[in-house]
Amino acid sequence: MKFPQSGRAPAELLSQLQATKGQDVPWQEGKVFAYVYDAGPEAMQLLGDAFTLYMTENGLDPTSFPSCMVLEKEVIAMAMDLVNADPNGTGTFTGGGTESILLSLKTARDHARDQKPHIKQPEIVLPVTAHAAFFKACQYFDLTPVTVEVDDNFRAIPEKMDAAITDNTILMVGSAPSYAHGAIDPIEAMGQVALKHDILFHVDCCVGGMYLPFAKQLGYDIPNFDMGVPGVTQLSMDFHKWGYAAKGASCVLYNDANLRRYQIFSHSNWTGYTVINPGVTSTKSGGPVAACWAILNHLGLEGYHRLVDASQKATQKLLNALEGIPGLRAMGDPKTNLIALEATDFNIFPLADEMKERGWYIQPQFSYANSAENLHLSIGYHNVEQMDAFIADLTELTAKVRQQQQSVEATPLPEAILAMLEDATPATLGQLAGVLGIDPANPPERMEEINILLNNISADSREVLLGEFVNQLYMPA
């Protein structure tokens, strides 16, 4: 596409944008179980209005745009209250959970450089269920991730976390809950491990921070998980998930305000103005924090209780229904609205394709460690009214897929392809595309064949192939 020679009318451009959106998953129908968080039309309107009001304001300079700073401080104060942070603590509003996690690990690294200078190769101890953002942070900041196995319910094992800690450990990680299975790690026991070794302890509440507190207040079986637990030093939580804020809105919180000093970047050794950044970015629109502030105040405790209670009841309805769907079950012991569906006697990936043809989007997850391949569901308020229809289609299509697989013998993957993928390089993707007859820039509608293939190779090879796939996907037309 060439740079336009002349301008076009706004109406024409908006029409084209609307048409382009038609390629996306139909989240407005409540049939998407990932990526989208919708609290209803009134909330959506408020988010749009508040975001637009602050779209141009720049949070980079609080002396020029003090209103952005005021809104951020109020949002952080509400978040700290919600997760029982120390009154002397503090936090930073960020653009997403990954940025929050990056900042937390950067803080831990620089804190160790100052307080424990003998550590030359800092390590992060984390369960194998921890979010990929922690590994991204380790790669960015030259930290060594030390992964630890989890139990059959996908929860961290405190004794094994304890055993993995060395003189080089600067931070331990727990999840509340972990994304893949909705498992809440034993944060209280892990806090005692952190205290024993005098290390920092980050609780990843990105997906749970705006859900678990309300579920606990409503009387659901939620263990202690937040910043009120002894040993917890920092916590990440997203507002743009179950806080139903506009993307991107997250935060990283610290029980000790002095710890945040290690997070801040300040640079005056150049010819321009002194750059001081609490977060990763410099320029940042005031839109996300304004929209976040607006939705928190609009819904309040009563509103979030209503949304969480409805989501919990819809989740329980699905769990009850699974008892009557042969061949399908929930993995682990989920306490909240994150569910992983596992097939007991058939290949589950075709089920995702069949459901997609009915308009449902559910997220395939590959096998790794003690977790079998599965389909992930994040069940929110926007899915509640669709749950009966979802269960009906899931029941019907599970039976269909099982019957098809039982009547037709599965064809084993060709050894030549598996050998090709054993030590994949970026060039392997082109070779694989040629063998399968697919165009990496235009994936097929049904992903069954590709998902089965990826599930049968090493995680390292998957990373290489999918990294190159995204690289090619974003190549200019």
Side-chain angles (χ1 to χ4, degrees):
M1 181 177 182
K2 298 291 186 180
F3 198 88
Q5 292 294 310
S6 56
R8 295 162 61 188
E12 179 185 354
L13 295 170
L14 291 172
S15 177
Q16 183 173 338
L17 286 173
Q18 192 65 44
T20 303
K21 279 184 64 175
Q23 304 172 44
D24 297 341
V25 292
W27 62 266
Q28 297 92 337
E29 300 172 12
K31 301 180 79 170
V32 176
F33 289 88
Y35 305 129
V36 175
Y37 310 89
D38 179 6
E42 184 178 46
M44 282 292 192
Q45 182 66 48
L46 173 64
L47 291 177
D49 292 344
F51 195 106
T52 302
L53 188 63
Y54 270 80
M55 179 174 62
T56 306
E57 277 62 29
N58 194 337
L60 167 63
D61 185 356
T63 63
S64 299
F65 299 97
S67 65
C68 292
M69 179 180 63
V70 169
L71 294 176
E72 176 169 337
K73 289 170 70 173
E74 292 190 4
V75 165
I76 293 300
M78 286 186 273
M80 291 177 64
D81 177 59
L82 192 61
V83 296
N84 298 306
D86 191 294
N88 296 315
T90 189
T92 298
F93 186 86
T94 73
T98 293
E99 184 184 359
S100 297
I101 290 168
L102 288 171
L103 291 172
S104 179
L105 268 65
K106 186 265 186 191
T107 297
R109 185 198 66 179
D110 291 358
H111 174 264
R113 285 177 175 175
D114 183 38
Q115 299 294 317
K116 301 178 180 181
H118 62 281
I119 297 179
K120 304 304 180 185
Q121 296 179 310
E123 296 174 352
I124 309 297
V125 172
L126 67 174
V128 72
T129 50
H131 195 277
F134 289 97
F135 297 89
K136 184 177 186 178
C138 286
Q139 186 181 108
Y140 279 15
F141 302 134
D142 198 21
L143 304 169
T144 300
V146 178
T147 55
V148 181
E149 64 182 291
V150 294
D151 66 21
D152 292 339
N153 286 321
F154 309 103
R155 291 191 290 256
I157 304 170
E159 295 79 9
K160 291 187 179 293
M161 300 290 285
D162 187 4
I165 293 171
T166 72
D167 290 341
N168 288 325
T169 304
I170 64 171
L171 177 79
M172 182 174 65
V173 173
S175 304
S178 57
Y179 178 82
H181 309 95
I184 302 173
D185 286 332
I187 301 302
E188 286 187 313
M190 294 172 72
Q192 292 303 307
V193 173
L195 290 171
K196 170 185 171 182
H197 292 278
D198 188 27
I199 58 173
L200 301 177
F201 180 21
H202 179 111
V203 176
D204 176 16
C205 258
C206 285
V207 75
M210 290 297 298
Y211 194 98
L212 293 180
F214 308 117
K216 193 173 181 67
Q217 291 163 10
L218 288 166
Y220 288 101
D221 181 19
I222 306 296
N224 293 332
F225 67 92
D226 61 16
M227 299 187 79
V229 173
V232 174
T233 56
Q234 53 233 79
L235 178 148
S236 54
M237 58 185 286
D238 288 358
F239 303 106
H240 61 212
K241 289 189 172 73
W242 308 120
Y244 296 93
K247 301 177 180 69
S250 178
C251 69
V252 56
L253 306 177
Y254 302 96
N255 266 331
D256 181 358
N258 291 321
L259 190 56
R260 189 180 62 171
R261 290 198 176 98
Y262 297 100
Q263 174 188 296
I264 295 173
F265 171 80
S266 180
H267 188 78
S268 195
N269 284 279
W270 74 307
T271 55
Y273 65 97
T274 297
V275 176
I276 307 170
N277 299 145
V280 173
T281 60
S282 287
T283 291
K284 56 180 183 179
S285 165
V289 71
C292 182
W293 179 91
I295 198 68
L296 295 180
N297 282 285
H298 172 63
L299 291 173
L301 277 176
E302 292 180 355
Y304 284 110
H305 283 171
R306 174 175 56 85
L307 300 179
V308 168
D309 195 41
S311 301
Q312 282 289 99
K313 287 176 178 174
T315 303
Q316 190 58 54
K317 178 182 286 189
L318 173 61
L319 291 173
N320 293 341
L322 287 173
E323 296 178 5
I325 304 179
L328 205 59
R329 68 184 177 195
M331 302 178 75
D333 179 29
K335 301 291 186 184
T336 64
N337 59 331
L338 305 183
I339 304 294
L341 301 179
E342 177 187 16
T344 61
D345 59 0
F346 68 101
N347 170 27
I348 201 167
F349 292 126
L351 180 58
D353 290 328
E354 293 288 341
M355 292 293 285
K356 187 176 180 181
E357 289 186 3
R358 294 279 179 96
W360 305 102
Y361 178 81
I362 46 184
Q363 194 174 51
Q365 298 186 138
F366 300 120
S367 61
Y368 187 77
N370 65 336
S371 176
E373 61 272 17
N374 61 84
L375 302 180
H376 173 88
L377 299 172
S378 292
I379 301 168
Y381 181 71
H382 58 290
N383 305 122
V384 169
E385 292 188 1
Q386 292 280 11
M387 187 52 67
D388 288 335
F390 175 78
I391 290 171
D393 281 346
L394 184 68
T395 303
E396 176 191 340
L397 295 176
T398 298
K400 174 185 174 182
V401 171
R402 287 180 78 229
Q403 193 278 327
Q404 288 176 339
Q405 292 184 15
Q406 289 168 1
S407 62
V408 178
E409 185 174 348
T411 303
L413 292 169
E415 290 295 329
I417 291 182
L418 291 177
M420 176 200 308
L421 299 176
E422 191 55 39
D423 295 304
T425 67
T428 307
L429 181 66
Q431 300 168 359
L432 178 63
V435 171
L436 297 180
I438 61 173
D439 177 4
N442 295 285
E445 284 295 318
R446 292 186 67 91
M447 294 293 292
E448 169 191 347
E449 185 176 5
I450 294 173
N451 283 333
I452 292 173
L453 186 65
L454 291 171
N455 193 60
N456 277 275
I457 62 176
S458 70
D460 289 343
S461 290
R462 281 202 296 261
E463 288 177 2
V464 171
L465 290 173
L466 291 173
E468 180 58 21
F469 166 70
V470 171
N471 183 39
Q472 293 192 23
L473 200 61
Y474 278 89
M475 288 293 184

